[in-house]
């Protein structure tokens, strides 16, 4: 099979994963009568159960066991895995809570600025260099966040925390390179005991929603595991087949769909101030995306060479 065909498949897989992530708020809205903490606990538990089934069906069980042994023997890797698990749990909880409290627009802002946060983390932790265009894009994004801060009268906590938690999660994932399916199983495994204890306490205190309210609610809570794992698995398949720059452009599908859902389906207010702030963010992302093209990189290298020769 030729490279173009493989790349087309990669685009379809990746785009499909981002579409699923973009419309995932609809799923959480069906559970808005359930507390965000209980939804998160079910999401963690059933994601772990579902991923164990995936590992068995895809013949990756031995890889999973081998990876666990490797982590238990390496305390540093185990620490990083635990941090990654906590970060993604914080991200999941905050996103569910934001969606079910009518703050989808701010949640979408978090995922718009996430790529820029990731680049900033690369600059801090891996000493990666920024081009002039990327520095300019950061400045525009900062203005956008500042406008949101002034308009709210408070710091956009949800957006920034979502971006930081997912950015730091990505950083942790770079330090523990494992198969994506095995990785998700490990991450959920670390926090599953906490989730299970929390759900057990709810049952003991007659506060559990699972198997008590309705079959549809129970089905949705259990299905949260599938809703979590499926986009990630498709994303992993797509990421293997397409360039990182293309993947970077496709990732804006998810927050755009979430933003549109918030405005047109769930009737969240989108003021002129929102539009101004988002315009700065969108401009920043456009410049950032263009800066990663081969032409922009070539021009940046040429500019740096000319600058060094004139010094």
């Amino acid at each position: 099979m030729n490279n173009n065909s493989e790349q087309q498949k990669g685009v379809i897989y990746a785009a499909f994963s981002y579409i699923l992530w973009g419309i995932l708020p609809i799923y959480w809205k069906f559970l808005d009568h359930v507390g965000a903490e209980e939804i998160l606990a079910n999401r963690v538990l059933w994601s772990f159960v579902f991923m164990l089934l995936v590992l068995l069906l895809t013949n990756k069980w031995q890889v999973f066991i081998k990876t666990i042994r490797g982590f238990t023997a390496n305390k540093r890797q185990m620490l990083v895995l635990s941090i990654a698990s906590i970060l993604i749990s914080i991200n999941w909880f905050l996103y569910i809570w934001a969606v079910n409290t009518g703050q989808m627009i701010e949640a979408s802002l978090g995922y718009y600025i996430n790529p820029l946060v990731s680049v900033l983390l690369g600059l801090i932790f891996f000493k990666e260099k920024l081009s002039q265009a990327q520095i300019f894009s950061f400045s525009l994004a900062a203005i956008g966040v500042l406008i949101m801060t002034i308009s709210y009268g408070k710091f956009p906590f949800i957006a920034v925390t979502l971006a930081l938690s997912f950015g730091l999660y990505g950083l942790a994932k770079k330090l523990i390179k494992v198969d994506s399916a095995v990785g998700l199983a490990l991450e959920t495994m670390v926090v599953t005991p906490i989730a299970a204890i929390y759900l057990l306490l709810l049952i003991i205190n007659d506060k559990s929603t699972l198997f008590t309210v309705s079959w549809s609610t129970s089905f949705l809570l259990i299905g949260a595991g599938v809703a979590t794992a499926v986009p990630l698995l498709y994303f992993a398949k797509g990421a293997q087949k397409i360039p990182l720059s293309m993947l970077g452009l496709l990732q804006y599908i998810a927050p755009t769909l979430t933003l549109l859902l918030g405005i047109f389906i769930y009737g969240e207010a989108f003021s002129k101030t929102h539009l101004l702030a988002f315009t700065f963010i969108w401009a920043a992302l456009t410049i950032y995306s263009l800066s990663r093209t081969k032409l922009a990189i070539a021009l940046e290298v040429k500019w740096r060479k000319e600058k060094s020769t004139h010094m």
Side-chain angles (χ1 to χ4, degrees):
M1 195 172 287
N2 60 45
N3 287 335
N4 285 340
S5 178
E6 283 295 293
Q7 194 169 100
Q8 284 173 359
K9 278 188 178 180
V11 169
I12 292 168
Y13 291 147
F16 182 61
S17 71
Y18 283 121
I19 289 168
L20 289 178
W21 275 321
I23 62 174
L24 198 56
I26 298 171
Y27 194 96
W28 305 132
K29 281 288 187 182
F30 282 126
L31 287 166
D32 60 2
H33 58 288
V34 182
E37 299 90 347
E38 189 176 356
I39 296 173
L40 175 65
N42 277 282
R43 187 179 187 181
V44 168
L45 175 63
W46 299 113
S47 292
F48 179 56
V49 172
F50 180 71
M51 287 313 302
L52 291 182
L53 290 173
V54 169
L55 293 174
L56 284 168
L57 292 171
T58 55
N59 298 317
K60 290 182 179 178
W61 185 257
Q62 291 302 321
V63 177
F64 177 61
I65 298 299
K66 186 179 178 181
T67 306
I68 290 174
R69 286 172 182 162
F71 277 118
T72 52
N74 189 327
K75 296 292 185 285
R76 181 178 173 275
Q77 288 278 285
M78 182 57 78
L79 177 62
V80 175
L81 174 66
S82 300
I83 291 169
S85 302
I86 292 165
L87 286 167
I88 198 62
S89 297
I90 291 169
N91 185 273
W92 286 353
F93 169 76
L94 194 59
Y95 187 71
I96 293 166
W97 179 78
V99 167
N100 286 351
T101 54
Q103 300 179 83
M104 245 190 265
I105 291 173
E106 190 178 340
S108 71
L109 175 66
Y111 287 104
Y112 273 123
I113 62 177
N114 171 247
L116 300 174
V117 168
S118 296
V119 174
L120 186 62
L121 291 171
L123 177 71
I124 296 167
F125 290 97
F126 299 110
K127 310 301 179 191
E128 294 175 359
K129 290 184 178 180
L130 295 182
S131 66
Q132 294 296 310
Q134 287 170 337
I135 292 169
F136 183 53
S137 71
F138 270 111
S139 303
L140 290 177
I143 293 169
V145 172
L146 186 63
I147 290 168
M148 291 284 276
T149 303
I150 294 167
S151 69
Y152 282 167
K154 60 182 179 68
F155 189 68
F157 170 79
I158 294 170
V160 174
T161 306
L162 282 172
L164 275 174
S165 60
F166 202 74
L168 289 166
Y169 168 72
L171 177 67
K173 291 282 280 183
K174 279 182 76 73
L175 301 173
I176 45 169
K177 293 179 181 178
V178 293
D179 176 86
S180 59
V182 172
L184 182 58
L186 287 168
E187 288 155 22
T188 50
M189 181 185 73
V190 170
V191 286
T192 287
I194 300 169
I197 291 167
Y198 179 77
L199 291 172
L200 187 61
L201 288 171
L202 288 180
I203 292 167
I204 291 168
N205 293 297
D206 291 322
K207 293 181 179 179
S208 174
T209 306
L210 188 66
F211 304 129
T212 59
V213 173
S214 66
W215 282 107
S216 59
T217 296
S218 299
F219 176 78
L220 287 168
L221 286 171
I222 294 170
V226 180
T228 298
V230 170
L232 192 80
L233 295 172
Y234 271 98
F235 170 78
K237 287 177 74 173
Q240 292 169 356
K241 298 176 185 292
I242 61 176
L244 197 60
S245 57
M246 192 178 292
L247 199 64
L249 291 172
L250 290 171
Q251 71 183 320
Y252 303 126
I253 293 171
T256 301
L257 287 174
T258 301
L259 177 64
L260 294 174
L261 283 173
I263 298 168
F264 296 109
I265 304 299
Y266 297 107
E268 291 187 18
F270 190 74
S271 63
K272 289 180 180 178
T273 309
H274 277 112
L275 180 60
L276 181 62
F278 271 83
T279 299
F280 274 97
I281 301 292
W282 290 327
L285 293 173
T286 302
I287 293 166
Y288 167 71
S289 299
L290 290 172
S291 75
R292 298 188 67 185
T293 61
K294 289 181 179 178
L295 178 61
I297 292 168
L299 289 171
E300 178 72 18
V301 170
K302 185 180 178 182
W303 178 81
R304 287 183 185 278
K305 282 182 178 177
E306 288 177 354
K307 187 181 177 182
S308 62
T309 53
H310 288 93
M311 285 179 71

